[in-house]
Amino acid sequence: SNAINENKLLLLRNEVIYLFLQIAQGKMEILTQIKSSRLQELPGFKLKDVLTFESMYASAGSLEKTYYHHFLCFTMRQWLHEKCGMYTHPDRTEDGEGFAGLWRKSEDEKKAQFNIITDLIFDSFSSERATVVFQMTDATQQHNFRPGDTAILYRRIDEEPCALHQQIIKGRVDQIRAGEVVFSLNNKQLDGSYFDCEASWLIEHDIFEKNHWVASESLLGVLDPNNGERFKLLMGLRDPERDVSSNTATLMKDENLNDNQRQVIHKALAAKDYFLVQGPPGTGKTSTLLPQLVSGLLAQSDGSILIVAFTNRAVEEIASRLEQRGIDFMRLGGRGSKADQDLRQYCADGRIDQAREYIQKRKVFLATVTTMCNRVEALKQLKGDLDTLIVDEASQLTEPQLLSLVMDRKKFILIGDQNQLPPVVAIHEGFCQVVDAELNAAGVFDLRSALFERLFRQCRNRGWHHSIDMLTTHFRMHEEIASLINPWYGNQLQSGGAHQQGEVIHEPDGITDDSEDRWHEILQTSRVIYLPSKREQVSKYHQQEARRVVSLLRFLRKSYGVKFNADKVGVVTPWRTQIGLIRNLIGNDEQLQQLNIDTVERFQGSENDIIIVSMAVYHPAQVQLLTSAGKYPFVNEDGELEEIDVDRKLLVTLSRARKQVVVLGDEGALVSSEHYCRLLANKCVDKQLSKTLQPE
């Protein structure tokens, strides 16, 4: 009967979850039970996978198994945290909600955490773009959604909505404007008639589970005996090699490169196994270095090149830079990209041979890391020469996220900066520490760390300087701003242009009222300004700061006149809720809504003339929560290796500004951090002048 079959499925589901929980707890003996003799009922293609795993696991060495166990456990913990809130804190006896909060929490609880947008009314549907436009009945409701967020959509049937009682529509939030939300559908088969009804709609956050399964699968490469030499290389059991006979000078044709850039490109092209480039903010690692490397590699070899980055935004920036240099490439996974449109048309017309030829002619392939991991095996069927990998934003990727790509390439180049944002890992650090002699010897102490950071430290500690280098000339920040972050790089950074040394701070075109006069006076005081905020003991938003931010934005627009645009100013705040509050206060002002107002995680890779920072904190514990501590290994003038303490989020925040930084925050909370304490020293605007600002 159906009831019996349902119970069997539930039992099987529970057994599978039990296995995942065992792995997350580090009980790896469960893996020895994966035997083909016990799974003969599986389809042939699945049984083959079991046989492969059984053989590889049985023959793997001690280090390979230890590495596999630790990172598989880490990946399962991340997945369980997203699903049901586990591994939030070692001392926590109960789990959080995670995605399970979708059905476990009431609407009021979700509103209190700003995790829901309610009472949306259908407005219009675009079949061409598969997007739905909704109007918000309450445009002032606070929420923490941003454009690009993965989300689910469902209609309200009962007074207390429950997502389990109806169809859930998956997609992403494309735009959030004043009183309006644009939702992009994953299911392109739906049409407008489904949404055109009297019901109101709700949007909640979704999770993207595929990243965890891609990472888990990539770990299998460690067990593969064919990757034995590659694994030794990654674990520091053999030196990375270089081609000393390589004449790379003829491959660098851009006369505008400085000596430091030439040195880095020369070493990267001469490397045989791998090369790591540390690119501090504004040093041109994406705009200049990466295209130069691609040009040099194409001239050096007939092999194809894979280029990946962590985010779609970074991939789009790389695509723009490659186009500017006239480098032909194919974008994988880009919605609406030229390659996507061309291949869809070939397939729709039945011209499969032309589609195959279209791919085979390309030498450069560009995608996000997740997309490339999903498609590289299929690509290998058409292109057998995928020899070289270039990874931008490599310092934001954990080892499992990159493992399958670096294992299968002859050479890889990682571009990143361990002083900037680390990989996003939500589970508590106590669940990520490694106490194992073999892994510690290879530099694996924290499972959250990026492969880039571990290899860079390994090369520096062992004197493999031919495999690492750092770009030292920055072209973005004024020297006064750069002086705040330069100590975190051992004071090695140098400005590359005269525009970074100018004295004029801000020249407004026209001032009309006393409030704006105050902003003009404040902005003239320094390149780096701190405005103290009054204490508001609420979590994750600050009313006064939001009003001041909007007031300053309006002043800057009037000041710049016709020159005002989204490049002039950006707003950084740690909290999604504060973003929503600021945008609500901006209202229907389309020009200000176009500005970049976001968290620092979304700002990495961006820059503006002026950066406004709204901290929205009132307690030292919040500041501690926002601190992203790191250590930068630096060889001092005496040739000794020392480590510099870094606040990576603060570094990224400050370095987004070309000309000026304005920080708003509660002084009593901020000075609990030694990094903020140094920032605020001598940067505080006269408090009486600050109090004259309107609105207060």
Side-chain angles (χ1 to χ4, degrees), residues 22 60 75 126 135 311 339 369 382 397 461 506 579 598 651 663 695:
Q22 291 287 96
T75 303
S126 169
Q135 296 299 321
T311 62
V369 172
L382 300 172
L397 295 161
N461 290 345
H506 185 67
I579 295 168
D598 221 322
L651 186 155
V663 180

Side-chain angles (χ1 to χ4, degrees), residues 209-467:
E209 293 185 64
K210 196 166 189 178
N211 288 341
H212 303 300
W213 304 123
V214 169
S216 298
E217 188 174 351
S218 74
L219 289 168
L220 292 172
V222 173
L223 304 177
D224 189 341
N226 296 319
N227 294 330
E229 285 302 309
R230 203 65 175 166
F231 184 67
K232 288 180 181 178
L233 177 71
L234 295 180
M235 302 307 286
L237 300 179
R238 75 168 179 86
D239 298 12
E241 297 180 4
R242 57 178 169 171
D243 185 358
V244 293
S245 64
S246 176
N247 182 14
T248 61
T250 59
L251 304 177
M252 292 182 282
K253 302 175 182 178
D254 194 331
E255 297 179 358
N256 294 320
L257 296 174
N258 60 37
D259 290 343
N260 172 243
Q261 292 169 326
R262 287 181 180 278
Q263 173 183 293
V264 170
I265 294 170
H266 165 74
K267 291 171 68 176
L269 295 177
K272 287 186 68 175
D273 291 314
Y274 66 74
F275 190 75
L276 313 175
V277 183
Q278 183 180 8
T283 53
K285 53 184 177 291
T286 302
S287 60
T288 302
L289 178 76
L290 193 149
Q292 283 284 342
L293 287 173
V294 174
S295 296
L297 289 166
L298 290 173
Q300 187 182 49
S301 167
D302 292 331
S304 297
I305 302 168
L306 304 181
I307 306 174
V308 299
F310 180 46
T311 62
N312 275 301
R313 185 173 185 171
V315 169
E316 289 162 6
E317 173 68 15
I318 294 169
S320 173
R321 298 299 180 177
L322 294 177
E323 288 169 354
Q324 289 173 16
R325 291 190 64 86
I327 297 173
D328 186 36
F329 67 95
M330 178 175 166
R331 168 85 184 269
L332 306 180
R335 291 189 182 186
S337 68
K338 185 178 186 305
D340 181 66
Q341 294 173 357
D342 290 345
L343 289 172
R344 284 181 183 275
Q345 192 61 53
Y346 286 139
C347 294
D349 297 343
R351 295 179 288 166
I352 305 303
D353 288 341
Q354 284 181 267
R356 182 182 296 108
E357 184 181 356
Y358 181 94
I359 296 171
Q360 290 174 336
K361 282 184 176 180
R362 268 50 191 186
K363 303 286 286 183
V364 179
F365 299 89
L366 171 66
T368 63
V369 172
T370 301
T371 297
M372 190 66 77
C373 287
N374 286 329
R375 302 193 182 185
V376 70
E377 288 303 317
L379 190 59
K380 281 168 63 177
Q381 302 301 315
L382 300 172
K383 297 282 293 184
D385 60 350
L386 306 176
D387 297 336
T388 306
L389 171 72
I390 300 177
V391 183
D392 198 14
E393 295 184 331
S395 48
Q396 288 189 269
L397 295 161
T398 62
E399 299 208 15
Q401 287 175 302
L402 269 185
L403 202 58
S404 63
L405 294 177
V406 300
M407 277 285 198
D408 209 25
R409 308 281 83 76
K410 291 181 180 178
K411 172 178 175 175
F412 62 86
I413 299 172
L414 306 185
I415 305 170
D417 182 8
Q418 61 270 43
N419 277 7
Q420 296 190 60
L421 296 180
V424 177
V425 177
I427 62 178
H428 190 272
E429 63 180 345
F431 298 110
C432 304
Q433 304 309 305
V434 177
V435 183
D436 179 89
E438 283 188 295
L439 290 180
N440 291 165
V444 182
F445 294 93
D446 190 331
L447 300 173
R448 299 171 300 170
S449 297
L451 176 65
F452 175 92
E453 183 173 3
R454 179 172 69 81
L455 291 183
F456 202 99
R457 186 180 298 272
Q458 184 172 269
C459 289
R460 178 157 282 174
N461 290 345
R462 301 193 183 187
W464 298 339
H465 300 297
H466 59 280
S467 292

Side-chain angles (χ1 to χ4, degrees), residues 530 532-533 535 617-620 623 665-673 680 687:
Y530 166 61
S533 303
R535 178 157 298 188
V617 294
Y618 69 90
H619 195 279
V623 180
D666 182 318
E667 185 175 4
L670 294 179
V671 294
S672 64
S673 159
L680 301 190
K687 293 183 180 180

Side-chain angles (χ1 to χ4, degrees), residues 466-482:
H466 59 280
S467 292
I468 59 171
D469 212 331
M470 182 173 109
L471 296 170
T472 56
T473 306
H474 71 94
F475 302 91
R476 176 191 302 160
M477 297 162 283
H478 188 276
E479 284 190 340
E480 189 175 335
I481 299 172

